[in-house]
Amino acid sequence: MNSKDFKRHRRLRRTESVRALVRETKLSKDDLIYPIFVVEGKGIKNEVSSMPGVFHVSLDYLTEEMKDLQSKGIRSVIVFGVPNEKDSQGSQAYCEHGIVQEAIRQIKRDVPSLTVIADTCLCQYTDHGHCGLVENGEVLNDPSLELLVKTAVSQAEAGADIIAPSNMMDGFVAAIREGLDEAGYSQIPIMSYAVKYASAFYGPFRDAAHSSPQFGDRRAYQMDPANRLEALREAESDMEEGADFLIVKPALSYMDIMREVKDRFNAPLVAYNVSGEYSMIKAAAMNGWVNEQEIVMEKLTSMKRAGADLIITYFAKDAADWLNE
Ligand code: PBG
């Protein structure tokens, strides 16, 4: 065999500095969005048992936490509230002094340069644990939209920089866009959970957010993992309705969907690296079966390679530390 018969790809891999020259994808701290769980009460900083390293914090610990994030160079958070009281209408979701509204106000007061993204959903706030109003065992679409609009507007009033509706009701982007505009928040972008699958990877989050459905499951509103064309229809209608960002969730089993959504729609794409994906890596790392740092950085970089511009991840703090090294 002579030199014309094959290509020498290894020329570009010989040293770390050559590898750096030809690296196609780079993860940056600006890409990372850290999810936080805020609870009512005082003096609470409790680790979520199924998510080692992730905590429930009460407001008196929140500012300290946010300053810590900021000092690592993380600039965005997505806030989940875990209220004490739940009812059939999820009224704590849109209460002026609900836990999320108070948390947003406090972050914007104490650490104003952090971008605060508000997750807009009802499941943590309803006693039945579904993401909308329930009648005769069914989750109603249009009546739920009104409550989601109220929730989004109350979050914007509290100072949220971005609204992220995650409930998978049809028309939620259009309804929320109109509601925000009417309330004077036309400058607030919508980061839509456009493509959200009914996934077993949400298990640990539901422990953390106390948001498991009390009957049935979410398959009548979240998507079937088997479907790809449906994802494109979902993304298309959210774009038409005025979404500014598109989320694909979960991330790891849906890299193909991320790539297609990125190629077809001209909006920043967000990967949600969900709780189950986090906990599986944590568990393996704690057992010494995988190298946590290497595996996390590989995963996050792969999500960017698959088309994600931004990544919501419980690993954001660790990744920022590693990027700072
Ligand atoms: C629902 C919601 C879910 C997550 C965030 N918001 C999914 C669900 O319970 O159906 C999951 C996030 C994660 O697993 O990290 N509003």
Side-chain angles (χ1 to χ4, degrees), residues 80 119 121 123-124 131 166 196 201-202 205-206 211 218 222 249 272 274-275 314:
F80 294 97
D119 180 86
C121 198
C123 56
Q124 294 111 273
C131 304
S166 67
K196 180 172 178 182
F201 287 97
Y202 305 149
F205 173 92
R206 293 182 187 170
S211 62
R218 302 207 205 290
Q222 298 179 350
K249 173 183 183 181
Y272 198 139
V274 302
S275 57
Y314 305 95

Coordinates of all heavy atoms in Angstrom, one line a residue, residues 80 119 121 123-124 131 166 196 201-202 205-206 211 218 222 249 272 274-275 314, ligand 1:
F80 N -37.7 26.5 39.7 CA -38.9 25.6 39.9 C -39.3 25.9 41.4 O -38.5 25.8 42.3 CB -38.5 24.1 39.8 CG -38.2 23.8 38.3 CD1 -36.9 23.7 37.9 CD2 -39.2 23.5 37.4 CE1 -36.6 23.4 36.6 CE2 -38.9 23.2 36.1 CZ -37.6 23.2 35.7
D119 N -40.0 28.6 34.9 CA -40.7 27.5 34.3 C -42.2 27.7 34.6 O -42.6 27.9 35.7 CB -40.2 26.2 35.0 CG -40.9 25.0 34.5 OD1 -40.5 24.4 33.5 OD2 -42.0 24.6 35.1
C121 N -45.6 26.1 34.6 CA -46.4 24.9 34.5 C -47.2 24.8 35.8 O -47.1 25.6 36.7 CB -45.5 23.6 34.4 SG -46.4 22.2 33.9
C123 N -48.0 21.5 37.3 CA -47.9 20.2 38.0 C -47.4 20.2 39.4 O -47.8 19.4 40.2 CB -47.2 19.2 37.1 SG -45.5 19.6 36.7
Q124 N -46.5 21.2 39.7 CA -46.0 21.2 41.1 C -47.1 21.8 42.1 O -47.0 21.7 43.3 CB -44.8 22.1 41.3 CG -43.5 21.6 40.6 CD -43.2 22.5 39.4 OE1 -43.6 22.3 38.3 NE2 -42.3 23.5 39.7
C131 N -50.5 18.8 34.6 CA -50.0 20.1 34.2 C -51.1 21.0 33.8 O -50.8 22.1 33.2 CB -49.0 19.9 33.0 SG -47.6 18.8 33.5
S166 N -43.9 24.8 30.0 CA -43.5 23.4 29.9 C -44.6 22.4 30.0 O -44.4 21.2 30.2 CB -42.5 23.1 31.0 OG -43.1 23.1 32.3
K196 N -41.4 17.9 23.9 CA -41.3 17.3 25.3 C -41.9 16.0 25.2 O -43.1 15.8 25.0 CB -41.9 18.2 26.3 CG -41.8 17.7 27.7 CD -42.3 18.7 28.7 CE -42.2 18.2 30.1 NZ -42.7 19.2 31.0
F201 N -37.3 9.4 32.1 CA -36.1 10.1 32.6 C -36.5 11.3 33.5 O -35.6 11.9 34.0 CB -35.2 10.6 31.4 CG -34.5 9.5 30.7 CD1 -35.0 9.0 29.5 CD2 -33.3 9.1 31.2 CE1 -34.3 8.0 28.9 CE2 -32.6 8.1 30.5 CZ -33.1 7.5 29.4
Y202 N -37.8 11.5 33.7 CA -38.2 12.6 34.6 C -38.3 12.1 36.0 O -38.7 12.9 36.9 CB -39.5 13.2 34.1 CG -39.5 13.8 32.7 CD1 -40.7 13.7 32.0 CD2 -38.4 14.3 32.1 CE1 -40.8 14.2 30.7 CE2 -38.5 14.7 30.8 CZ -39.7 14.7 30.1 OH -39.7 15.2 28.8
F205 N -36.8 14.1 39.0 CA -37.3 15.5 39.1 C -38.7 15.5 39.8 O -39.0 16.3 40.6 CB -37.6 16.1 37.7 CG -38.3 17.4 37.7 CD1 -37.6 18.6 37.7 CD2 -39.7 17.4 37.6 CE1 -38.2 19.8 37.7 CE2 -40.3 18.7 37.6 CZ -39.6 19.8 37.6
R206 N -39.5 14.4 39.6 CA -40.8 14.4 40.2 C -40.6 14.2 41.7 O -41.5 14.7 42.5 CB -41.7 13.3 39.5 CG -42.0 13.8 38.1 CD -42.9 12.8 37.4 NE -43.0 13.2 36.0 CZ -43.6 12.5 35.1 NH1 -44.1 11.3 35.4 NH2 -43.7 12.9 33.8
S211 N -44.1 16.4 42.1 CA -45.0 16.7 41.0 C -45.4 15.4 40.2 O -45.8 15.5 39.1 CB -44.4 17.7 40.0 OG -43.2 17.1 39.4
R218 N -48.7 11.2 31.8 CA -48.8 12.4 31.0 C -48.9 12.2 29.5 O -48.6 13.1 28.7 CB -47.6 13.3 31.3 CG -47.4 13.7 32.8 CD -46.7 15.0 32.9 NE -46.0 15.3 34.1 CZ -46.5 15.5 35.3 NH1 -47.9 15.5 35.4 NH2 -45.8 15.7 36.4
Q222 N -47.9 14.9 26.8 CA -46.5 14.8 26.4 C -46.3 13.8 25.2 O -47.2 13.0 25.0 CB -45.6 14.5 27.6 CG -45.7 15.5 28.7 CD -44.8 15.1 29.9 OE1 -44.3 14.0 30.0 NE2 -44.7 16.0 30.8
K249 N -36.6 18.1 25.0 CA -36.5 17.5 26.3 C -37.0 16.1 26.3 O -38.2 15.9 25.8 CB -37.2 18.4 27.3 CG -37.4 17.8 28.7 CD -38.2 18.8 29.5 CE -38.3 18.3 30.9 NZ -39.1 19.2 31.7
Y272 N -32.6 20.0 27.2 CA -32.8 19.9 28.6 C -32.3 18.5 29.0 O -32.8 17.5 28.7 CB -34.3 20.0 29.0 CG -34.6 20.2 30.5 CD1 -35.5 21.1 30.9 CD2 -33.8 19.6 31.5 CE1 -35.8 21.3 32.2 CE2 -34.0 19.8 32.8 CZ -35.0 20.7 33.2 OH -35.2 20.9 34.5
V274 N -32.1 16.1 31.4 CA -33.0 16.0 32.5 C -32.5 15.2 33.7 O -31.4 14.6 33.7 CB -34.4 15.4 32.1 CG1 -35.0 16.3 31.0 CG2 -34.2 14.0 31.6
S275 N -33.4 15.2 34.7 CA -33.0 14.6 36.0 C -32.5 13.1 35.9 O -31.5 12.8 36.5 CB -34.2 14.7 37.0 OG -35.3 14.0 36.5
Y314 N -28.3 20.0 35.5 CA -28.0 20.0 36.9 C -26.5 19.9 37.1 O -26.0 20.0 38.2 CB -28.7 18.8 37.6 CG -30.2 18.8 37.3 CD1 -30.8 18.1 36.3 CD2 -31.0 19.6 38.1 CE1 -32.2 18.2 36.0 CE2 -32.4 19.7 37.8 CZ -32.9 19.0 36.8 OH -34.3 19.1 36.5
Ligands
PBG1 C1 -43.2 19.4 34.0 C2 -41.8 19.3 34.1 C3 -41.0 18.1 34.0 C4 -39.7 18.4 34.2 C5 -39.6 19.7 34.4 N1 -40.9 20.3 34.4 C6 -41.5 16.8 33.5 C7 -42.6 16.1 34.1 O1 -42.7 15.9 35.3 O2 -43.4 15.7 33.3 C8 -38.6 17.4 34.2 C9 -37.3 17.9 34.4 C10 -36.3 16.8 34.8 O3 -36.5 15.6 34.8 O4 -35.1 17.2 35.0 N2 -43.7 20.6 34.1

